[in-house]
Amino acid sequence: MTEMLLKYFREQQKQVETERIYNTQCPYCSMQCKMQLVEQTHVKRKTYKTIGRDNPTSQGRLCIKGMNAHQHPLHKDRIQYPLLKINGEFVKISWREALDYIKEHVTEIQEKNGADALGVYGSASITNEEAYLLGKFARVALKTKYIDYNGRLCMSAAASAASKTFGMDRGFTNSLQEIPFTECIMLAGTNIAECQPTIMPYFEKAKENGAFIIAIDPRETGTTKIADLHLKLKPGSDAALANGILKVIIEENYLDERFLQERVNGFEEVMQYVASLEFSVIEEITGVPLEKMYQAARMFGQRETGMIFTARGVEQQTDGSAAVQNFLNILLSVGKIGKPRCGYGAITGQGNGQGAREHGQKADQLPGYRSIENHEHRMYIADVWNIEEKDLPRKGVSAYEMIEKIHDGEIKGLFLVCSNPTVSNPNANFVKKAFEKLEFLVVADMFESETAKLANLILPASSYLEDEGTMTNVEGRVTLREASFPRRGEIKHDWEILCEIAKVLGKEEYFSFSSAEEIFNELRIASKGGIADYSGITYERLRAEKGILWPCRSLTDKGTERLFETRFAHSDGKAMMVPVSNQAIVPKAKITKKYPLYLTTGRVVSHYLTGVQTRKSASLSARNFESFMEIHPSTAKKYEISNQELVQIESSYGRIVVRSKFSEGIRPDTVFVPFHWADSQNVNNLVSEKLDPACKMPGFKVSAVNISPSVKRSSY
């Protein structure tokens, strides 16, 4: 049998007439693994495969998504031409017609309702160049204050917490290369085994080297399997758990008192607040036994080096920003920051979650992580853009708040780029109704997503194989994504689309770019002197050095491997600790008699975000072709639910139907549903619209639900 297979493959290889190799990067998670698409032309057909390339971040590794990434841009459903909705059906039109349509409706809406009647909704999956240009497009071409992006649902809590604590936000304070050599690691609310599989070897190597790993998660996952200690807390109790660990650190005096005195403000207030807390109350809130809190605190406090990593499990809550701040309080209390093998990492979800928030897509930010409300920052960017400072709009609102303004009729038209908000946002039924109220919706995307189906006009956008540009990965490393795969039909890059729209709106002088590199060179100037300073980075350097960690302030600057070695980014050079309450300012869902179970959400390894791309991959879709509800067998028995049975899940916001999946590894008071599916399987139909007051992050990770068999059983 083996000889027959070898013979078959040899014969296949003989039939290869030509072979082409395209360099690129994975379009999915924040590891941004380098890879190559190999295209082989055979006698009668073409075949494709994706292989990894060596690079400083993932060292040639690929996960199952990366290996099959090419399947979606090559899919038959790929949009290749502008599509205009006429009488409820999408009809192919020319780019000239599409641009004229946009000009007519933009002009009409803004003349009638003002500049802010238009909004822009961006993405953390587009390149730095396109994120930068989208922010400029909103504020210069449209002159609207309403721009935000889907990264608000991903990284805003960690970004807010790091900015308040350290004075700046870069995903990792260290490079990945330090992880294998640290002695204690705390993984809070992160399932890297499924969300960022190619980062796992760093943690596995640390474990081989003797690191003690603490995992904090309501579920047992592929990530918790490598942990020495698993704290299986109640959903939403992360801030309280951090207080418990911090209380032990203080009472057992694992503090780095010299570090606290010289480099930190606010410790006395934190110590006083934590002293007022009772361990018994924290145990009740979290469901974590006191002895396990002691074990976590002792291991993290006693080891010479240690690192803390957070992700969506901690962050996607109505006190997500405060919860992350409390884990940073732990880190600061023991002085494990700004030193070798000591630091913090926010494990970014989307491919360009870091870069996309640095250069102007967020409602309150300008390029370089500048503040749109700071006069000096406004003057600098206005000068770069050659506009008057007074003409630069002020701060807008967050992504979900924009949707509320759409629903209320304040925003009447929207430009949407590479996002699917009717599925990804909380209270998804409300969001869809809001989008249906829009007078004018233009979507730039590769497929007819659930949101694109509601559009008046869909514009065909290029994919990762075709669209060159820079991305900033999980550790803050700026990389250059080469992309030379030929575009089909009339597909355009996002940056080209923005430039062409700006031209018909009479703003060509501000958007006269002919390449992604030209845009990047303007971004470099715009970021110069800002927190996220890219001014010393060039395409030439990125090709030669395989990525550079920002800030990089000159052409001779090698980039910044480790932050905060001598000072933090606050004006006085010190970090800031603040007391964090056990209870969120915005109340979280409570389990009740009517809704007696916690619901939490997350990812599976074979899918990404709302699944628009990965469900176009036959290899990935086959692994998980439908959603599911993970439930403890004892809980299932109580509710008379069988394994692999269709189940109705209901909250006060809506209901969905998914298939049950028994797991001994989840808390009995909790069920888990992934968020990659839409319509009747969209778990975000069940999630509250309440937002974290600090960063406007929705509380995806804590909902109260009831469950029942989808089909009522008859008794005979």
Side-chain angles (χ1 to χ4, degrees), residues 438-457:
L438 283 166
E439 296 176 11
F440 174 67
L441 175 60
V442 177
V443 174
D445 213 329
M446 294 186 289
F447 298 102
E448 281 188 34
S449 69
E450 288 78 11
T451 307
K453 291 179 190 297
L454 303 176
N456 302 97
L457 178 65

Side-chain angles (χ1 to χ4, degrees), residues 27 123-127 150 350-353 356 418 471 481 608-609 613:
S123 171
S125 293
I126 58 179
T127 65
N150 63 13
Q350 294 191 67
N352 199 26
C418 192
M471 310 284 277
R481 184 178 74 191
Y608 178 70
L609 300 185
Q613 296 172 56

Side-chain angles (χ1 to χ4, degrees), residues 512-533:
S512 57
F513 302 103
S514 59
S515 69
E517 187 172 7
E518 269 190 52
I519 301 167
F520 187 74
N521 285 332
E522 184 175 293
L523 181 158
R524 291 172 57 214
I525 298 169
S527 73
K528 186 175 179 62
I531 290 173
D533 192 330

Side-chain angles (χ1 to χ4, degrees), residues 116-304:
D116 292 336
L118 290 176
V120 176
Y121 196 111
S123 171
S125 293
I126 58 179
T127 65
N128 288 321
E129 293 80 357
E130 288 159 346
Y132 168 79
L133 204 63
L134 197 61
K136 184 178 180 181
F137 174 80
R139 292 165 178 129
V140 176
L142 299 180
K143 295 188 175 180
T144 180
K145 66 181 178 181
Y146 288 130
I147 175 170
D148 211 65
Y149 76 130
N150 63 13
R152 178 72 68 171
L153 315 178
C154 175
M155 290 302 301
S156 60
S160 173
S163 295
K164 289 177 181 177
T165 303
F166 303 139
M168 67 177 288
D169 154 47
R170 189 182 82 182
F172 278 29
T173 62
N174 311 59
S175 73
L176 287 166
Q177 281 68 29
E178 293 190 38
I179 294 173
F181 307 104
T182 194
E183 296 173 280
C184 189
I185 295 171
M186 194 177 294
L187 297 169
T190 175
N191 183 13
I192 51 178
E194 295 199 67
C195 300
Q196 288 88 9
T198 58
I199 204 175
M200 275 292 280
Y202 288 102
F203 294 95
E204 291 166 341
K205 185 64 176 177
K207 190 172 177 67
E208 288 176 19
N209 290 340
F212 188 89
I213 298 179
I214 304 160
I216 300 170
D217 199 303
R219 308 164 55 223
E220 291 177 13
T221 67
T223 306
T224 65
K225 288 178 182 177
I226 70 167
D228 299 282
L229 175 64
H230 178 194
L231 307 181
K232 196 182 287 189
L233 78 173
K234 293 178 185 177
S237 63
D238 302 85
L241 178 62
N243 273 330
I245 295 171
L246 192 55
K247 187 173 176 69
V248 176
I249 286 172
I250 292 170
E251 290 187 358
E252 299 214 341
N253 197 26
Y254 299 125
L255 302 170
D256 187 330
E257 293 182 0
R258 181 176 178 181
F259 181 88
L260 288 167
Q261 183 178 359
E262 295 178 355
R263 302 199 58 193
V264 177
N265 290 321
F267 172 68
E268 291 296 326
E269 291 83 353
V270 171
M271 182 172 65
Q272 289 173 16
Y273 173 72
V274 170
S276 72
L277 302 176
E278 298 291 337
F279 278 123
S280 59
V281 174
I282 295 174
E283 273 190 301
E284 175 62 27
I285 292 171
T286 64
V288 175
L290 180 57
E291 60 267 25
K292 289 195 172 185
M293 291 186 227
Y294 266 90
Q295 187 180 3
R298 285 169 177 162
M299 295 307 296
F300 199 76
Q302 290 174 350
R303 296 287 174 106
E304 184 177 342

